[in-house]
Amino acid sequence: MSYKELKREVFEANMELQRRNLVIYTFGNVSQIDRDKGVVAIKPSGVAYEDMKVDDIVVVDLENTIVEGEMRPSSDTKTHTHLYRAFDSIGGVTHTHSTYATAWAQARQSIPCLGTTHADYVHGDITCTRDLTDDQVNGDYEEETGVQITDAYAERDPNAAPMVIVAGHAPFTWGKDAAQSVYHAALLEEIARMAYLTRTLDPQAAPLKQAVMDKHYLRKHGKNAYYGQS
Ligand SMILES: [Zn+2]
């Protein structure tokens, strides 16, 4: 894929964030990696969606050095590149401050799997990371935000839960490419909203039974998946 094509896909995915009402102003950013070239295209820092052009998208390498582009890359770039280095199966990353997902992050609560909508896309809870330590905040903050996420996945397959919420901050999602990471950001917001409403109606609402959780996840994603058209 040429840089131009990569930038075009990242531009379209960033614009989709706005169309799905997942961001306001300059909140949020989407990136995509070209593993063969070892480069990541990402939204420029502080540029409003309505003003953004394809050529504003910045291309960096996995050590965050700018390879192509006139603008500064998103301030969250180091979190994105950390995720690409740690999770070698992913191709796109999205960060938003979407309202309901961010509310769970601010409450520092993982989102329990309360129903099949959640179970269709994520196998188990949507994890809320631990808080950053003072040293992490005062050190390489955006890199350390990535470390918080990957620490939470030490025992977990990132593909079985392509979304996480960062304590006191907001969600990060990923997928096979930029577009799928945005799709997961939209799903997360809806799942977070449903979980919030459920726990408002019944603060003791129990998680879905493990057997149903497994059934719904595995019929879509397991090795013998049968949901949809093949
Ligand atoms: Zn943020």
Side-chain angles (χ1 to χ4, degrees):
M1 188 181 283
S2 69
Y3 286 179
K4 184 84 187 175
E5 289 168 309
L6 184 65
K7 282 159 50 175
R8 161 71 59 189
E9 292 199 8
V10 168
F11 173 80
E12 292 297 344
N14 274 283
M15 297 310 274
E16 182 71 4
L17 277 188
Q18 206 190 28
R19 285 193 289 270
R20 298 277 169 197
N21 294 318
L22 295 167
V23 291
I24 58 169
Y25 299 113
T26 62
F27 290 16
N29 38 71
V30 185
S31 70
Q32 181 169 305
I33 189 168
D34 181 328
R35 296 259 175 207
D36 293 335
K37 293 193 171 74
V39 296
V40 173
I42 190 163
K43 181 178 178 287
S45 181
V47 176
Y49 291 90
E50 46 275 22
D51 300 330
M52 196 168 57
K53 297 180 290 296
V54 174
D55 283 330
D56 294 336
I57 301 296
V58 185
V59 181
V60 299
D61 65 20
L62 282 167
E63 277 69 50
N64 309 296
T65 304
I66 296 177
V67 175
E68 185 176 277
E70 299 299 314
M71 302 192 131
R72 270 214 309 243
S74 163
S75 53
D76 295 316
T77 298
K78 285 184 170 181
T79 311
H80 288 243
T81 51
H82 180 88
L83 294 176
Y84 288 123
R85 291 195 309 268
F87 300 157
D88 55 13
S89 59
I90 69 170
V93 173
T94 294
H95 174 51
T96 80
H97 286 208
S98 68
T99 308
Y100 284 87
T102 301
W104 283 89
Q106 292 182 174
R108 292 174 172 73
Q109 291 183 34
S110 294
I111 305 175
C113 182
L114 298 170
T116 64
T117 319
H118 178 136
D120 279 339
Y121 299 99
V122 180
H123 204 198
D125 287 0
I126 296 167
T127 301
C128 182
T129 68
R130 62 177 171 74
D131 274 312
L132 286 144
T133 64
D134 287 358
D135 281 351
Q136 285 183 299
V137 176
N138 296 326
D140 199 348
Y141 175 67
E142 290 79 13
E143 180 75 33
E144 293 295 338
T145 299
V147 170
Q148 264 184 307
I149 296 171
T150 51
D151 280 358
Y153 278 75
E155 314 261 303
R156 197 170 194 193
D157 174 4
N159 299 310
M163 48 190 76
V164 70
I165 52 180
V166 175
H169 186 173
F172 281 82
T173 61
W174 47 85
K176 65 179 165 54
D177 53 20
Q180 196 186 47
S181 70
V182 172
Y183 172 68
H184 288 151
L187 291 174
L188 168 59
E189 180 59 8
E190 191 62 13
I191 291 166
R193 191 166 76 94
M194 289 177 180
Y196 170 82
L197 292 169
T198 306
R199 282 281 165 98
T200 302
L201 286 167
D202 178 2
Q204 263 76 53
L208 200 61
K209 286 169 65 127
Q210 188 69 43
V212 183
M213 223 185 272
D214 292 347
K215 182 77 184 172
H216 271 263
Y217 185 79
L218 297 173
R219 70 177 188 163
K220 260 183 132 106
H221 307 276
K223 81 176 179 334
N224 299 313
Y226 57 86
Y227 176 87
Q229 308 301 319
S230 55

